[in-house]
Amino acid sequence: MSWTLLVDGTAQSHVDLTDPTHLEFEYVRRLGHVLDAAAPPAAPLRVLHLGGGAWTLPRYVAATRPGSGQRVVELDGALAELIAARLPADGLGLEVRVGDARAELARVPDASVDVLVVDVFAGARIPAHLTSVAFVGAAARVLAPGGLYAANLADGAPLEFAKSQVATARAALPELAVIAAPDVLRGRRFGNLVLVAGREPLPLAALIRAAAGDPFPARVEHSRALGRFCAGAPVVTDATARPSPVPPPGFFGRPEPQPDSSAQP
């Protein structure tokens, strides 16, 4: 049985209760690739999910890595209650906390997280306070040795937001890669990009294989190619931070604009 969660017309999550390893959305599969590559198969991970949705990735981790310790942070308390009631995840060992992602991140102990997944949207945009170098620095603080930071971004041509996010992450974490469809990387369409970062060399070979083998193949940009991608992009501070761009109509399930029924001919 599958469910899709929409919030204000935006598709936030897809959950297959009969098969939690089924990841419907492309960007969620790419985040799943990061989780798969973070440790040997079936080895438990300590995962912090900023942004809960319908708990798709926490369910995936619980199914593929039994015994993992997972915390989910969700700002919308009513949404968290709805998911718990309608799409329960009993027995999966999830700790769900209601609160702001950055505020809750500040309470997490140093070096206590193996994978930090950031997938936070207010409607269809990433909140500004989760895009700054101070935020990424706070994320870096909680990463254990070898830990990975994975953030879902959304952008379109000329990709100024995505490029600045790569430059910002690089200011806090030295190893980076971006996973995205080739046409998104070229700015031919609006889409998702998954930013992966850490202090130690990333599992690039595993990520490249997984991205290439996906039903909708993606490319993994890293090293010099990624440096060229973000060349000249500014590092975002709290003072300069802005939300991610407004997606075009129809993206993320956003409805097309409707004519104003009150308008007179």
Side-chain angles (χ1 to χ4, degrees):
M1 182 181 296
S2 297
W3 298 76
T4 299
L5 170 68
L6 290 92
V7 178
D8 296 331
T10 297
Q12 297 279 9
S13 299
H14 179 277
V15 173
D16 188 334
L17 293 180
T18 59
D19 181 10
T21 66
H22 172 66
L23 303 177
E24 180 74 12
F25 296 165
E26 291 176 43
Y27 83 87
V28 178
R29 287 199 301 275
R30 290 164 191 159
L31 289 169
H33 298 331
V34 176
L35 289 159
D36 290 343
L45 289 171
R46 296 167 296 175
V47 186
L48 174 61
H49 304 266
L50 299 183
W55 310 340
T56 303
L57 282 173
R59 298 172 201 269
Y60 178 80
V61 172
T64 59
R65 298 181 177 277
S68 293
Q70 300 191 80
R71 177 182 296 180
V72 179
V73 176
E74 172 58 53
L75 179 63
D76 189 336
L79 174 60
E81 290 181 5
L82 173 67
I83 297 304
R86 298 293 300 273
L87 305 174
D90 298 338
L92 300 186
L94 305 184
E95 177 190 355
V96 179
R97 297 183 65 91
V98 174
D100 174 77
R102 186 160 166 178
E104 291 298 324
L105 180 61
R107 298 184 176 96
V108 177
D110 293 359
S112 63
V113 174
D114 297 314
V115 182
L116 172 54
V117 178
V118 184
D119 187 14
V120 180
F121 282 77
R125 305 179 74 184
I126 302 168
H129 72 298
L130 304 183
T131 68
S132 72
V133 68
F135 171 73
V136 181
R141 176 187 62 79
V142 308
L143 292 180
L148 297 177
Y149 170 88
N152 175 33
L153 310 176
D155 201 5
L159 297 174
E160 291 180 354
F161 176 78
K163 292 174 182 178
S164 70
Q165 287 303 285
V166 174
T168 300
R170 175 169 281 171
L173 292 165
E175 301 290 335
L176 291 96
V178 168
I179 311 171
D183 56 349
V184 173
L185 285 168
R186 296 189 188 107
R188 293 180 179 174
R189 68 174 175 90
F190 196 97
N192 295 91
L193 307 92
V194 170
L195 170 63
V196 188
R199 290 191 185 86
E200 300 178 15
L202 304 179
L204 290 173
L207 293 175
I208 291 169
R209 284 195 303 270
D214 192 87
F216 293 91
R219 202 165 75 213
V220 180
E221 293 282 66
H222 59 94
S223 306
R224 292 181 179 177
L226 191 59
R228 291 192 294 270
F229 174 80
C230 69
V235 172
V236 178
T237 67
D238 283 336
T240 62
R242 299 291 183 271
S244 61
V246 177
F251 191 79
F252 282 147
R254 294 179 69 236
E256 299 286 344
Q258 298 298 311
D260 184 354
S261 60
S262 66
Q264 299 297 316

